């Protein structure tokens, strides 16, 4: 369980050195705005094409235009990561929920048991859909999509819920498979 | 379970019409080379930014440089999709295994029960890692990564195995959540 | 994983040689009608009493008089075998669904994810009952039987559904336990 | 949960009345030898062909020639039925273990938790194989069969273990699906 | 699997010898009233403080004032122990159900498959709540508590159901972890 | 999900008012030492006998003499509560791990995925035993106890591990069944 050159996973895949100028600028902005460069980005930086593809995909999904608020997308991230028990994602996105909601207790609650957390009825339906996608996606049927529509979600919203939930089912597994470790700074933030 | 305007999912998210020239060209190339435009691409084409981000991510992963052959990446796709019981991905990537291996029976076998399929010992280790990522990623430890190294996989190979297995854990779930349907052409191909 | 004398399982249990006249005739008829002698029959042929008991039981169940069509019985066979991930039975009975339905895509769909396959409402109820029997038979209650009656099934039909679903829960396990391999001919048939 | 005319299942499928002479004789022998006609036989007696096919299959398996003792076959029956939580089979075959072993406590122990019951090492291996067949038959590999051979079981013995374990995975499910009830006489017998 | 000095678990933790007078008196009363000193008490008797704390907790819960009858508390004990497959608790509390109900068959039925046992509708609701607590306590919501209220249970009754079900989820696990063996006398009693 | 008079559970079971002098003193000491009266104690205070029995049992187990340190007992509490996803216990005992270890990150890590947390080899063995007790106690065998002995644990230590793990399998379920909510003060403490 030693962590190698890039400092963030159990794999010996050091970052390109020096980083290309554009990547360095991107990392500098992260440092400026967030106070850290998320370790997940460092983990992909052994191959700049992969880093760029991942970042573009992530940014469109989590920061792009959507009927879901950024907090709601982070709530899905935490609920899915909780089912998959992903240390990296629970740490990073738990902090994001604490920050965006201004409610540290909500962040903790979603990490520990999303089912009993105090969220709105549509948000609960959204998390139930994401949870079913996580544990038995093959059993999803039209009645599950309709339940979301009945709570006011549009088909575009359903697409976004499905894609955010899908994304963390990917990145939870990549993080666990490579023993990716979150930046220490997340732990004490927004408590 | 009616399928809406874009013809490929249960969501009413029609493709941008007309498609931007660059996208149309991409789809024309697909039609030329594969005899079809994969429905998954059509499903993202209601938003060209999303389509581009998805395509770039996919192409880097499945077609880019790697220590894993394209067939091995498709084998992971099928084994993961089999555990998740994803109709879309099993159909499309089952066909890909049949094509790339020249062994229709192998494609069928991986769809039905990857554990008893005749693959090499390293390939079996690779599929076992992908399966553990799929069913209990939180339990992966250094011993699992070491098992891959013992079969000759490099840390970069492990990264690629993890990312391919992770990717299908995403796209299986998006496909099931939206009831994405595979192009009919796959079924009879390479039998 | 070498396959022994009888060519169809991992167990060294060669067929009686020569076969009794009546058995040889039965196998000749199979060859004539089906173009093959199903490997499952060869696997029991190390003991003619066992072969006869199995064949009689199978024939009554799958070919005998019933309110269920032969296709419906094969649909149950495939759905159950899919849950149990039995390579032998999915191959042989997937082919049977393709043949009897004249719809190759339906056969594939049931192999991959029966829950999203396009079947009638009564057929779906029938498959749900068979699936519940497969995964948690102890939880079946009167409400499950009533659900079948509400779709028009008689008590005799329910008996037949239960017995077909039960049978494949047996033969899936025998096939997997002995590594029984399907005849190659099934793979390309009725595509 | 009313029990219908035949008195033994929740389905309205009364026995043929009068029974054919040969069947009546068979039932009379049961009554003489066992002090009861097992309800499972009555449940099939709405159709004499089905009753005969079932009886022939059962008798060959449980009473026919085998390297396994009758007690060992009953031990498998109880362990499998315990995993599937089948009231009928646990009652009837729990009594059989008590009778054949002369050890009432062993019968109880196998019903409640076969894993901690005091059996020989080969018997434990046999029950582990039967249990794996019951819970994840698709994962059985050559190493599981070899483990049985290492305990002295022949390939024919393995066939018999597989078929007995398979059989109760069928009949447990048929019994639960039809709410089959055991004869009251079993409960107090051989305590 | 040898059982050590105290005769009841796989751990070498002999009873305090001689027992303090008060404890000896307690054990004498057990012997008088029950015909045995329950092995679970002997297992804690290596430390009299632990024995006293356990006994006090147990007696308040199972014998103290409650809206639930003693039989109902034992029914919960058996249903929970059945899910956890605890040999000790199924033996001891199965006997208690047989005794308190005067219905040996009911005791057996609850041991084998509580879901199909003939109990009243409120008792079934009570057992369903206890079972959900056992298998997925994190998913319990207000609707589950309300279902109990709808059957006439008070909030105090719900507390008692929760605490009895909780208790056996503890003691089942302690018994299994230490291989605690029930007194032989239970097996034949109240048949 | 309204919380009733006692403020800590979904059940309407107000505390005895006024509290008996001895109980009030106990609560005052809690307030003094911990800065709060743990809500779990308030939840039992509708019945002083129950409160006393619970407190005595808890204090012996978690604060009494043992070969396990208090931190180790809290680590077991968190690992078990994490598997059971208990919001109350993860909050309260997560804080305890942060306090006793002086390592906030360790507390978080155990809440999120105990399997990848940095603990000593004996502690990991201890948590594996507690986890197996939590998910499949019926499968624990002598080899599991021996694994603990091989790490230097005595039989008395094994008893304590089993009883602490057992206890949280009880209290997790009681807390979830009653929707018990942790004191807000825990969330920000020892970060």
């Amino acid at each position: 369980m030693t962590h190698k050159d890039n400092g963030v996973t159990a794999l010996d895949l050091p970052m390109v050195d020096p980083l290309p100028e554009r990547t360095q600028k991107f990392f500098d902005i992260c440092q400026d705005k967030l106070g850290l460069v998320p370790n997940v980005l460092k983990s992909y930086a052994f191959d700049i094409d992969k880093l760029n593809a991942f970042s573009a995909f992530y940014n469109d999904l989590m920061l792009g235009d959507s009927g879901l608020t950024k907090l709601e997308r982070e709530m899905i991230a935490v609920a899915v990561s909780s089912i998959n028990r992903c240390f990296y994602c629970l740490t990073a996105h738990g902090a994001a929920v604490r920050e965006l909601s201004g409610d540290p207790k909500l962040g903790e609650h979603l990490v520990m048991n999303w089912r009993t957390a105090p969220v709105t009825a549509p948000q609960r339906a959204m998390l139930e859909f994401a949870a079913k996608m996580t544990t038995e996606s093959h059993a999803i049927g039209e009645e599950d999509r309709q339940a979301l529509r009945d709570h006011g979600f549009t088909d575009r919203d359903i697409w976004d819920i499905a894609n955010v939930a899908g994304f963390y089912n990917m990145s939870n597994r990549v993080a666990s498979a490579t023993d990716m470790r979150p930046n220490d700074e997340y732990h004490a933030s927004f408590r």
Side-chain angles (χ1 to χ4, degrees), chain A residues 75-188:
Chain A
M75 288 168 67
I76 295 172
V78 173
V80 168
S81 303
S82 165
I83 296 172
N84 291 327
R85 305 184 186 282
C86 176
F87 178 49
Y88 184 97
C89 301
L90 285 171
T91 300
H93 297 282
V97 168
R98 295 194 303 270
E99 179 183 12
L100 293 172
S101 67
D103 182 354
K105 198 169 143 187
L106 177 66
E108 284 292 277
H109 206 149
L110 287 170
V111 163
M112 291 169 177
N113 187 5
W114 68 267
R115 283 187 183 279
T116 58
V119 298
T120 66
Q123 286 169 348
R124 181 169 168 95
M126 173 187 87
L127 296 181
E128 280 176 348
F129 190 89
K132 188 167 183 180
M133 279 181 62
T134 303
T135 56
E136 45 166 2
S137 55
H138 66 280
I140 289 181
E142 188 61 17
E143 65 280 11
D144 297 299
R145 287 179 289 271
Q146 193 54 44
L148 290 176
R149 291 186 193 109
D150 293 346
H151 277 287
F153 291 104
T154 65
D155 277 23
R156 168 61 200 273
D157 295 337
I158 298 174
W159 177 269
D160 288 354
I161 293 170
N163 275 267
V164 173
F167 182 83
Y168 288 97
N169 272 293
M170 171 177 69
S171 66
N172 289 172
R173 285 174 171 82
V174 172
S176 289
T178 62
D179 198 22
M180 197 179 288
R181 296 297 166 107
N183 307 61
D184 283 349
E185 290 85 346
Y186 289 122
H187 290 291

Side-chain angles (χ1 to χ4, degrees), chain A residues 57-88:
Chain A
F57 196 69
Y58 176 90
N59 289 341
D60 172 78
L61 191 70
M62 294 300 284
L63 308 175
D65 192 52
S66 170
L68 308 177
T69 66
K70 284 177 195 172
L71 173 57
E72 285 168 339
R73 285 177 265 182
E74 294 289 350
M75 288 168 67
I76 295 172
V78 173
V80 168
S81 303
S82 165
I83 296 172
N84 291 327
R85 305 184 186 282
C86 176
F87 178 49
Y88 184 97

